[in-house]
Amino acid sequence: MTEIPKHPEALEEQPVSPTRGRWLIAVMFLFAISVSVGLWTYWELHTRPFRSLTDALGEKFPDSNPRVEGGKHGLHRDIDSILRIVIRIEYNPEREPERYGNDVVTILQMAANHVELQVYDRCDIHLFRQTPEEEPVVTSRTISREDFPQPQI
């Protein structure tokens, strides 16, 4: 069996600069810190206006995982400004329409108490029920600015 001769330059050890590795580690840490700060800033600016409403909905409807978003999607477009509220419910709204209607009124009143609704053109309320191995039941109601309730203190 013939042995492949090795190149003489490959046998020489290349000097490794310890400062190069330190710089690489420092750059990695700075990158991680800047990404973390960026994510925290985005999340803070995105959720702060709706945090009190989200917390209040979570207290009123336990285990509902409320999600509240607002504004325009695509600032350059001439579209409606929407307040969107999504809540998980434990009952089937198609079988209990009265309870569903009461919950929508309660949610809309809570929104009026915690958010300045008049800056939005409409409010979309989505309630969904998802049970294992079944299709989710989603019911939605859109409320226009004219039908917004007044805040109650």
Side-chain angles (χ1 to χ4, degrees), residues 119-148:
V119 298
Y120 299 101
D121 296 316
R122 71 177 206 243
C123 179
D124 293 346
I125 298 177
H126 306 282
L127 278 72
F128 71 95
R129 176 179 183 243
Q130 187 166 13
T131 54
E133 299 181 18
E134 288 183 18
E135 289 292 317
V137 177
V138 180
T139 53
S140 301
R141 188 164 298 168
T142 299
I143 297 97
S144 63
R145 180 185 295 168
E146 295 82 31
D147 299 326
F148 289 165

Side-chain angles (χ1 to χ4, degrees), residues 57-122:
L57 289 170
E59 289 176 15
K60 177 73 175 170
F61 302 98
D63 300 323
S64 64
N65 299 328
R67 193 172 64 238
V68 181
E69 299 173 346
K72 291 185 178 188
H73 293 282
L75 295 175
H76 61 283
R77 300 183 197 148
D78 188 25
I79 58 175
D80 289 347
S81 180
I82 303 169
L83 178 66
R84 184 173 293 111
I85 302 170
V86 181
I87 294 181
R88 177 192 310 264
I89 54 176
E90 297 299 322
Y91 61 92
N92 188 336
E94 294 172 352
R95 294 192 181 126
E96 299 181 53
E98 187 175 317
R99 183 176 177 188
Y100 169 72
N102 291 339
D103 284 350
V104 168
V105 169
T106 302
I107 292 166
L108 189 59
Q109 187 59 57
M110 291 176 74
N113 293 341
H114 291 275
V115 177
E116 188 179 342
L117 282 181
Q118 296 306 318
V119 298
Y120 299 101
D121 296 316
R122 71 177 206 243

Side-chain angles (χ1 to χ4, degrees), residues 6-20:
K6 298 188 180 189
H7 198 277
E9 290 177 7
L11 296 176
E12 294 179 19
E13 285 192 26
Q14 299 291 328
V16 177
S17 171
T19 57
R20 189 170 141 191

Side-chain angles (χ1 to χ4, degrees), residues 15-86:
V16 177
S17 171
T19 57
R20 189 170 141 191
R22 289 182 185 142
W23 276 108
L24 180 63
I25 297 296
V27 167
M28 287 171 52
F29 271 106
L30 285 174
F31 177 72
I33 290 168
S34 65
V35 167
S36 298
V37 167
L39 283 172
W40 181 84
T41 303
Y42 171 78
W43 189 252
E44 184 70 18
L45 293 175
H46 188 71
T47 62
R48 178 178 292 271
F50 313 110
R51 199 168 295 150
S52 67
L53 175 58
T54 304
D55 292 342
L57 289 170
E59 289 176 15
K60 177 73 175 170
F61 302 98
D63 300 323
S64 64
N65 299 328
R67 193 172 64 238
V68 181
E69 299 173 346
K72 291 185 178 188
H73 293 282
L75 295 175
H76 61 283
R77 300 183 197 148
D78 188 25
I79 58 175
D80 289 347
S81 180
I82 303 169
L83 178 66
R84 184 173 293 111
I85 302 170
V86 181

